[in-house]
Amino acid sequence: MASGIATWAILILLWFLASLSQDETFLPSPLETVQGTKEIITNGKLLLFSFVSLKRVLIGWSIGTLVAAPLGLVVGRVGFLRKLVEPFVNFFRFIPAMAFLTLFLMWFGVGESSKLILIIYGTVFTVMVNTIAGVIAVDPNRINSARTLGASEWQIIRTVIWPSIIPYVFTGARLGLGGSFSSIIAAEMLASKEGLGYLIYTSRLYFHTDWIFAGIICLGLLGYLSDKLLRILGNHLLKKYGVHEKVGF
Amino acid sequence: MAVLKNHIIEIKNLSKAYATGTAESNVISDINLNIREGEFHILLGPSGCGKSTLLNIIAGLLRKTEGKISMNGKSIRTPDKDRGVVFQNADTAIYPWLTVYENVEYGLKINRVPKEERKKIVEHYIDMVGLSEHKDKFPGELSGGMKQRTQIARVLANDPQVLIMDEPFGALDAQTRRTMQQELIKIWQKTGKTIIFVTHDIQEALLLGTDISIMSKSPDAKIYQTYKVDFAYPRDETTEEFNAFYRTLNAHFIERDADESYDDLKIAI
Ligand SMILES: Nc1ncnc2c1ncn2[C@@H]1O[C@H](COP(=O)(O)OP(=O)(O)OP(=O)(O)O)[C@@H](O)[C@H]1O
Ligand SMILES: [Mg+2]
């Protein structure tokens, strides 16, 4: 905690020193940023835009995770599906979701759906890759014990594979959440009238560099807090599945 | 002498080759073995001779390449809850997200035993393996011996006819190992189950088994000879008879080093 405060103090000090010799529209000082932030807090923009971005991320990410975990389980468990999906996955894993942004805008319009689809796509991909890795890593002894105790394939999936892969699904969901924030900012920069991405992108037009800073800081906070919340929930609710061991950083 | 019971497991000319490159070499070949109901049957053999391979075929986890294997006259093809398996590595066999109680309950739940009955059975076997005070702990909070007891209780709770154990005490320290051996004998006497038990420890074989089958080295490992052990339980490893028997069994393994072939070994008891 103390070292965290020190890190931030040093960062703000450096920022302050750098801003001394610069114009406000090029690099606003910390104080100017605070004042600018006050403006968009009082007119309600910052809160509204944060809420809009967060809402998009949470909806898309939840849907993505809920779809990807069972899908990854089935694909990971069924040999021929895994072979079928593997080359596809290994090709697309190098293409960030944002590369599809213009395509999605063209196909699904500039409304909410294209943004949600972008987030869902990114999340599904990340969570699925992790889930499949988890299924492959399940110790055969676990499966064999269940089998010799009389478990059917469906019972094995439900009572052995699923609990075994929860740490992997969780890691995938965390990574997916990070990716969702990147995707939504990019999407809002290109095609939206609301959201933090829109704020960051358009503030430049009004020479309000301080608002850009406010937007970026707000984004960082949202990301940090939602990840932190997810980790706390994971540690508490999923501890017995081994989630606490997997989450170090 | 008591009336001989029926053969519960019958193995005839059984061979197994793993599908890797040299397909023609069998790990085990031409295995013949009959196990009677209630026997405590030990498979004793050098490391890598194919003991686990044979056990896994009996368990139904591995497919045979040739020959016949049956339980109660029915061919073995898949695992079945009539054949309970205690794996060597309790760490990976029991489930870390379930408590001791829930682990022992697992098989009963899978087989849809009603809740009331389940509770009675689980508590009975947890008590039998001496874990009553630890039943709400998770495996991460248990010692190696306690994990293995949990696994044994889980298998027993499922009430299999045959108990298959693959070096279940191999990873334990000498002290715990000795305690577990004594408890296993008690459990076996109490339940009257048929046990097939793999070890490469001659003393363990002699402390536990009613029957000891010696396996030769792989490839083409066979059951070389089966001995009956008539010593009363609990057995005392310091008696002269025990040591004489030990030397007899040990001779198989010494001779093997001097001369790779078993064929000219003649051992009578
Ligand atoms: N899945 C497999 N594929 C190929 N070869 C295997 C496989 N499993 C075992 N083997 C080989 O079969 C032989 C017998 O193995 P097995 O595990 O049955 O021996 P073991 O008698 O149980 O040995 P240990 O006492 O060390 O447990 C070994 O030479 C091993 O290399
Ligand atoms: Mg083995």
Side-chain angles (χ1 to χ4, degrees), chain B residues 33 42 87 97 99 105 152 154 169 175 184 228 231-232 256:
Chain B
L33 181 67
I42 309 279
F87 294 86
W97 56 86
T99 60
E105 191 186 27
I152 291 171
R154 180 176 73 178
F169 309 142
Q175 191 75 43
L184 182 60
K228 274 250 168 250
F231 304 148
R256 195 197 66 231

Side-chain angles (χ1 to χ4, degrees), chain B residues 19 28 49 66 98 151 189 200-201 211 225 233:
Chain B
I28 51 175
C49 73
E66 270 171 72
L98 302 179
Q151 198 194 176
Q189 288 173 326
H200 56 238
D201 177 344
D211 299 76
Q225 191 161 349
Y233 296 95

Side-chain angles (χ1 to χ4, degrees), chain B residues 48 50-53 88 166-167 198:
Chain B
K51 303 183 296 292
S52 296
T53 302
Q88 169 164 12
D166 192 353
E167 300 193 50
V198 155

Side-chain angles (χ1 to χ4, degrees), chain A residues 31-225:
Chain A
L31 198 66
E32 285 156 354
T33 304
V34 169
Q35 279 158 355
T37 308
K38 260 190 203 153
E39 283 169 41
I40 45 177
I41 288 178
T42 30
N43 72 12
K45 284 256 156 64
L46 191 63
L47 206 65
L48 174 71
F49 286 172
S50 300
F51 176 75
V52 167
S53 295
L54 191 63
K55 194 179 102 187
R56 286 169 174 161
V57 164
L58 288 185
I59 294 175
W61 171 79
S62 309
I63 295 174
T65 304
L66 289 178
V67 169
L71 204 64
L73 204 168
V74 172
V75 170
R77 187 69 189 146
V78 183
F80 85 92
L81 279 181
R82 202 167 73 209
K83 287 203 189 81
L84 207 69
V85 166
E86 205 228 302
F88 166 83
V89 165
N90 281 325
F91 178 78
F92 281 96
R93 75 190 308 162
F94 296 104
I95 306 171
M98 277 172 281
F100 291 98
L101 181 54
T102 42
L103 277 181
F104 286 178
L105 288 174
M106 193 166 81
W107 291 341
F108 307 111
V110 292
E112 277 318 279
S113 48
S114 59
K115 291 169 195 73
L116 288 183
I117 287 168
L118 188 74
I119 294 175
I120 291 170
Y121 168 82
T123 308
V124 163
F125 203 83
T126 313
V127 175
M128 233 178 103
V129 167
N130 277 276
T131 307
I132 293 172
V135 175
I136 293 169
V138 176
D139 196 298
N141 242 1
R142 282 190 183 169
I143 298 166
N144 284 341
S145 337
R147 201 164 264 158
T148 54
L149 290 167
S152 65
E153 177 65 17
W154 171 240
Q155 284 174 321
I156 287 171
I157 286 182
R158 216 165 39 81
T159 64
V160 180
I161 313 270
W162 173 246
S164 294
I165 63 172
I166 283 178
Y168 290 83
V169 176
F170 186 76
T171 304
R174 269 189 76 199
L175 293 171
L177 188 62
S180 301
F181 275 102
S182 317
S183 305
I184 195 58
I185 295 305
E188 287 172 350
M189 282 178 165
L190 272 193
S192 183
K193 292 272 170 280
E194 286 177 319
L196 288 175
Y198 169 77
L199 174 74
I200 291 168
Y201 194 69
T202 48
S203 296
R204 189 181 51 107
L205 304 174
Y206 309 115
F207 303 102
H208 258 301
T209 316
D210 50 346
W211 291 356
I212 298 183
F213 272 74
I216 289 172
I217 292 168
C218 204
L219 181 65
L221 277 174
L222 282 184
Y224 173 78
L225 291 177

